Amino acid sequence: NEKKTRKFSDASRDIFHLATNGGNNKLAYFVATQDDTLADTLRDMPYVPLFRIGRAVLLLESPSSASRRYTNQTEQSKLKSAGGLMTTEERDIVNVVRKKEKNKIKEAREEEQKKLMKRSREEYGVEVGYNPRKKKAKGPNPLSCKKKKK
């Protein structure tokens, strides 16, 4: 951080320290600046919303890639641990139960498919999906053939 703050003006350095004091903008400051070096440095920090002034209009920048990356990592860890409430043993048990449920659903589907095949054989004497029609021979593509001379 010291190398990044050396190229700031005094005011920009103070804003940077205020916004990043204690890590990821824990005090939830919004930063409005026209200083490009300060804005670039704050974009590298997650959860620091930036306002820019463009053509006399105050614009809120979209979340930075650092914010999106940090959010995705946090969400993935929550998904894996059920919000931090599940132990590894409980997670393993849940995975085993999910696999069993998937297998039951797969077996039920296969059984239903077999019943359909058997029923169709009995009723129609043919299997489901059997198409007795044959394809007819088609003529040549008229665009690829030479025209006849008159």
Side-chain angles (χ1 to χ4, degrees):
N1 281 346
E2 198 60 38
K3 289 182 181 178
K4 289 182 180 180
T5 57
R6 286 184 188 163
K7 56 187 170 187
F8 293 148
S9 65
D10 290 337
S12 295
R13 185 180 304 116
D14 291 342
I15 292 171
F16 177 79
H17 285 297
L18 186 65
T20 60
N21 187 19
N24 298 330
N25 195 14
K26 290 185 179 180
L27 299 174
Y29 285 115
F30 281 65
V31 178
T33 183
Q34 289 180 320
D35 185 1
D36 291 331
T37 56
L38 176 63
D40 291 340
T41 307
L42 289 175
R43 276 189 204 103
D44 294 337
M45 302 291 296
Y47 298 133
V48 182
L50 285 173
F51 282 105
R52 303 289 289 193
I53 298 175
R55 297 183 185 154
V57 177
L58 193 62
L59 301 170
L60 176 64
E61 289 188 1
S62 62
S64 67
S65 60
S67 294
R68 282 190 233 117
R69 192 173 336 130
Y70 185 80
T71 302
N72 286 339
Q73 289 172 352
T74 306
E75 289 298 319
Q76 289 300 320
S77 67
K78 284 182 181 178
L79 285 174
K80 289 179 182 176
S81 67
L85 302 174
M86 209 186 304
T87 65
T88 55
E89 294 171 357
E90 291 171 333
R91 194 175 316 122
D92 292 339
I93 292 170
V94 168
N95 287 336
V96 168
V97 170
R98 283 183 183 160
K99 285 181 184 178
K100 286 182 180 178
E101 287 177 356
K102 283 182 183 179
N103 288 337
K104 284 182 183 178
I105 291 171
K106 186 177 178 182
E107 289 172 3
R109 243 187 249 140
E110 290 173 356
E111 189 66 33
E112 187 66 29
Q113 191 70 19
K114 287 178 184 178
K115 287 180 183 178
L116 276 173
M117 295 291 274
K118 186 177 180 182
R119 192 177 315 138
S120 66
R121 280 188 209 126
E122 291 172 357
E123 290 178 12
Y124 304 110
V126 293
E127 292 187 21
V128 174
Y130 175 72
N131 192 359
R133 282 191 256 154
K134 291 185 178 180
K135 292 185 179 181
K136 295 180 182 178
K138 296 181 181 178
N141 184 354
L143 298 176
S144 66
C145 299
K146 275 188 166 181
K147 291 185 179 180
K148 295 180 182 177
K149 294 183 181 179
K150 292 184 182 181

